[in-house]
Amino acid sequence: MRYRTFRDFKIQSRKHVVCSKYSRLSRRAPGLDSPFRDHRRSHPDANAWRAHPDPVGISAGVLVFFYAVYSLIKYQREANRIISLFEANTQIKELSEKAARGEPLPSIVVIRGHIGADGGDVNTVSGAIHGLRERIGEIEQPKNAWIEIARQAKSDPQLRGVADAVVQRTGVDADDVSEVPAPGDPYTRPIRNHAEGSLVVTEMLVARICAKHQSVRREKTTKRVTIKRPRRNESYNCFHARRVSDRLHIIDMDGARADIELPPAHAVGLAGISDPPPLFLPVSDVWTEFTHYLRKDGLTGPGGRRQRLDDLPPMRLSDPYTLLSEFIFLDVQSTVDLGGLPGNPHVLEEIGEAFATGPTPAKFLWEPRGFYDSVRGGGYDDVPAYATGRFRKTEMISARELLDRAQAAAKENTRYTPHCEPTFSRAELEQRRDEENCFRYTELAIPRGIPVTILARPMIAEAGTGEGADCNIRLVSPQCDEGPPYADVKNLKDRFRFRILRGHQVENLLRHRELNPTAYYGLALVAVAFIAWAASGYPGLGA
């Protein structure tokens, strides 16, 4: 099974479940029987309609379906684990005493307390940049396609057949997954944080949001060709940086202290999509996780034969993240392709200068796939042949160079992309750049002394000396490889990430995970619909 199959599955299946008239699965056949059989029988030329099942497509759909079910089960187990950790009410002194006795520390704990730092206050970046400063308090997150599909399954009768098939095979009903916000809701909370007062952590994330998966549709009867150009549907993180006060720590409910070591602030990577930045509490990117799963575990073919897939190309772009942290006080998109905001076209450069190391501005990730159209008939990882040679490499560059390249790439793409005529003129493509592409600016701030709940891995920061001496505890990322192995190894296999959440209620810790199962439920819906579509020979495709 080739990688391009999964890429095509993602594009076609989401489009046909949500948009196509062929997503109306038969209520009489909620299983894998073809939902299009009655339509074929009534077709005026039944012989001309002979479509054949696609075994590759069916296999891909079954694989995605079982992965979605596996993820739903795993998230439920992780939620139960979080509740048990919360109810354990672990205290820092308890961990210190356990370490002093030479006993292994747990692989993950939930600690409640108040956050502080020994150093002085830190400042936000947005507050000093014209264009961002005026928009503090605004949240305008892109929609999550998988969550939208799950939401539709709750209300759209046309998806009832798909939902019934998921229930039949998993026992998971739409009512079993969390309520999904209505359209227009930013999937986040009311803003309580405006980055005012004494701050101990601020963190800035810049993402490039681009238009990908342009398509060509040819009508069989009229031979008419229509070019479809999506808008702002793919993304990659091009910059991530943090300001943090010295000796960040938490004082727990009993007054004991543990230092906090935040995960590295580099959510950008040359080798492909890295883990999303944990403090922003991102909803899982289900498709990226799925491809990572394939790359790591491979496939089991007929007869139990294992097929390695570790040579799959890295994922370069993903769906735009849904970010749920209550510490986010700004999440906005630029009004133009090159990242400018009204009154300030230099936002990217000013962010780079704000995080400069000495006289050298901070670097941004140049990913060419975020600035050119998809390759017609090519693979997910392809860069168009018309792209300038020095622009084809993924690398870290200054904000000024990134903007120069982006401007040149925009001209090349407008001049040479095949996804243009006859639907659009070249002049129209140039005008559409600001609608199709942008940069997204997201910043969070954690005030000093507020109540927080931290999910982390405890480690010994400093061993005590003398009889009865305590060991100082440091809280690090659960994914950290530092230190000796732990007895509780199975918990390290779960998808726990370092978390800091406002407040002391377990609901706050669980709430940001609520949309993760919903996204995987949406993936399961798509998989079932795609299996039926592939079994019917893809009716409607190219009609």
Side-chain angles (χ1 to χ4, degrees):
M1 189 175 298
R2 301 174 61 185
Y3 179 78
R4 186 177 164 193
T5 299
F6 299 108
R7 180 254 190 183
D8 293 341
F9 169 79
K10 175 186 177 184
I11 300 168
Q12 295 294 342
S13 59
R14 287 200 313 191
K15 178 175 68 175
H16 281 266
V17 167
V18 179
C19 305
S20 174
K21 64 182 178 180
Y22 295 104
S23 67
R24 303 174 185 176
L25 292 189
S26 169
R27 298 193 182 194
R28 292 181 303 165
L32 298 185
D33 292 339
S34 170
F36 312 104
R37 55 187 180 184
D38 295 335
H39 184 70
R40 290 201 303 270
R41 289 171 181 170
S42 62
H43 195 273
D45 188 356
N47 293 328
W49 190 275
R50 288 179 182 172
H52 300 284
D54 177 20
V56 174
I58 294 173
S59 299
V62 170
L63 178 64
V64 174
F65 175 74
F66 280 111
Y67 177 76
V69 174
Y70 162 80
S71 297
L72 285 168
I73 295 172
K74 193 167 186 176
Y75 267 109
Q76 183 59 54
R77 188 181 74 221
E78 292 170 5
N80 293 336
R81 177 63 174 154
I82 286 177
I83 293 173
S84 65
L85 289 169
F86 189 87
E87 292 176 345
N89 195 29
T90 303
Q91 300 299 312
I92 296 170
K93 183 175 179 59
E94 174 188 342
L95 296 172
S96 178
E97 292 174 347
K98 181 178 290 189
R101 293 193 299 267
E103 300 176 10
L105 298 177
S107 62
I108 188 170
V109 295
V110 170
I111 301 291
R112 288 171 286 178
H114 293 76
I115 197 166
D118 295 342
D121 297 343
V122 295
N123 298 319
T124 67
V125 172
S126 302
I129 297 179
H130 176 55
L132 292 179
R133 180 175 57 249
E134 292 76 14
R135 301 186 66 179
I136 286 177
E138 291 187 28
I139 302 290
E140 53 167 350
Q141 297 197 63
K143 282 186 171 58
N144 186 308
W146 305 107
I147 293 175
E148 286 298 305
I149 291 169
R151 181 191 60 78
Q152 279 189 279
K154 289 176 173 283
S155 58
D156 190 344
Q158 294 183 9
L159 291 180
R160 189 65 259 170
V162 190
D164 289 346
V166 172
V167 174
Q168 186 180 29
R169 285 160 179 76
T170 68
V172 179
D173 199 331
D175 295 334
D176 297 330
V177 298
S178 302
E179 278 298 322
V180 184
D185 191 299
Y187 303 147
T188 187
R189 70 283 114 200
I191 293 295
R192 292 190 288 169
N193 177 22
H194 289 271
E196 299 172 344
S198 177
L199 305 175
V200 293
V201 178
T202 63
E203 195 161 305
M204 169 66 74
L205 181 66
V206 180
R208 168 68 172 179
I209 301 183
C210 55
K212 299 297 286 185
H213 315 313
Q214 294 79 15
S215 62
V216 180
R217 182 180 178 87
R218 293 180 176 85
E219 295 184 7
K220 291 182 178 179
T221 54
T222 64
K223 307 299 182 183
R224 180 182 177 183
V225 176
T226 302
I227 305 294
K228 292 189 177 181
R229 298 186 59 85
R231 301 180 181 182
R232 304 189 181 191
N233 63 333
E234 292 279 330
S235 175
Y236 81 91
N237 293 333
C238 62
F239 182 81
H240 182 207
R242 175 189 298 136
R243 291 173 174 176
V244 57
S245 183
D246 292 337
R247 295 295 301 275
L248 188 70
H249 60 263
I250 182 173
I251 306 296
D252 72 8
M253 309 300 285
D254 289 341
R257 166 175 166 153
D259 290 338
I260 299 172
E261 180 181 314
L262 298 177
H266 54 68
V268 299
L270 298 176
I273 298 174
S274 54
D275 285 338
L279 295 192
F280 288 89
L281 306 187
V283 170
S284 291
D285 175 8
V286 298
W287 198 257
T288 301
E289 281 194 7
F290 174 62
T291 55
H292 287 176
Y293 162 79
L294 289 179
R295 190 177 293 109
K296 179 181 178 181
D297 294 349
L299 294 174
T300 301
R305 182 181 178 182
R306 295 292 297 170
Q307 180 177 352
R308 294 178 57 187
L309 294 174
D310 52 4
D311 59 345
L312 290 179
M315 293 286 290
R316 298 291 185 178
L317 304 175
S318 70
D319 296 335
Y321 288 125
T322 298
L323 305 173
L324 301 178
S325 173
E326 292 189 19
F327 296 123
I328 295 174
F329 65 90
L330 174 78
D331 190 357
V332 298
Q333 299 172 31
S334 66
T335 53
V336 295
D337 178 27
L338 299 182
L341 291 167
N344 186 3
H346 307 294
V347 175
L348 283 174
E349 293 174 276
E350 292 184 24
I351 290 175
E353 292 171 359
F355 289 99
T357 303
T360 305
K363 300 289 187 178
F364 288 70
L365 179 65
W366 167 260
E367 174 48 69
R369 295 156 189 82
F371 298 86
Y372 291 95
D373 284 358
S374 296
V375 177
R376 182 181 291 183
Y380 186 90
D381 201 46
D382 291 348
V383 178
Y386 55 80
T388 296
R390 65 188 181 90
F391 292 174
R392 303 175 68 84
K393 182 181 178 182
T394 301
E395 57 185 331
M396 301 299 295
I397 58 179
S398 69
R400 181 65 264 164
E401 186 174 357
L402 184 143
L403 290 174
D404 289 342
R405 291 188 181 190
Q407 194 166 23
K411 293 179 180 179
E412 287 182 337
N413 197 73
T414 299
R415 187 178 300 121
Y416 299 116
T417 179
H419 297 102
C420 183
E421 287 109 353
T423 307
F424 305 97
S425 67
R426 298 291 168 178
E428 286 179 303
L429 287 196
E430 186 173 359
Q431 297 171 2
R432 287 176 60 93
R433 291 290 300 187
D434 292 340
E435 300 174 1
E436 294 182 359
N437 310 279
C438 68
F439 285 85
R440 177 185 182 185
Y441 305 108
T442 310
E443 191 170 15
L444 61 77
I446 302 179
R448 187 188 300 268
I450 66 166
V452 295
T453 299
I454 296 181
L455 187 150
R457 172 181 172 184
M459 296 186 64
I460 301 174
E462 181 181 346
T465 58
E467 185 178 353
D470 292 336
C471 295
N472 293 334
I473 298 298
R474 176 162 49 105
L475 301 177
V476 302
S477 170
Q479 304 299 311
C480 176
D481 294 328
E482 182 182 347
Y486 288 80
D488 199 6
V489 176
K490 73 177 185 66
N491 292 321
L492 295 178
K493 296 180 180 179
D494 290 330
R495 291 171 287 203
F496 292 118
R497 299 292 185 269
F498 185 92
R499 298 294 187 231
I500 300 180
L501 298 102
R502 181 188 290 270
H504 290 158
Q505 295 77 34
V506 69
E507 289 78 10
N508 289 350
L509 191 58
L510 293 172
R511 184 173 57 179
H512 83 276
R513 302 176 70 84
E514 289 180 352
L515 293 186
N516 283 315
T518 307
Y520 281 103
Y521 178 72
L523 183 65
L525 290 167
V526 166
V528 169
F530 187 82
I531 292 167
W533 191 44
S536 303
Y538 308 114
L541 185 62

